[in-house]
Amino acid sequence: MTLAERYNTEAQRLMPHMAEDLAVDAGIDNAGHIDEIVFRRSEYLGGMAAVLLALLDQHK
């Protein structure tokens, strides 16, 4: 399972109302790329993505 798949799943679980806005291509396996993609959409979403990625990093 790629990092993006785990990230998208966690976004759906924790914030189903924002999951579409936070979603990234499932093939991405780099936290920096995920953060960059979502941050380009908005700083607000980028902050959420950073938190989701930190949570995933804690639960390796």
Side-chain angles (χ1 to χ4, degrees):
M1 180 177 264
T2 66
L3 178 58
E5 289 171 322
R6 291 177 38 229
Y7 165 86
N8 289 337
T9 299
E10 194 72 358
Q12 181 63 46
R13 185 179 75 81
L14 293 174
M15 295 177 281
H17 61 290
M18 299 292 294
E20 272 188 49
D21 296 325
L22 292 165
V24 296
D25 182 280
I28 300 170
D29 207 21
N30 180 290
H33 290 157
I34 294 171
D35 185 53
E36 186 178 317
I37 290 166
V38 179
F39 189 80
R40 281 187 200 159
R41 295 176 189 162
S42 83
E43 288 183 31
Y44 177 71
L45 292 174
M48 286 188 211
V51 170
L52 287 169
L53 290 166
L55 288 170
L56 290 172
D57 190 51
Q58 287 182 349
H59 293 90
K60 284 184 178 179

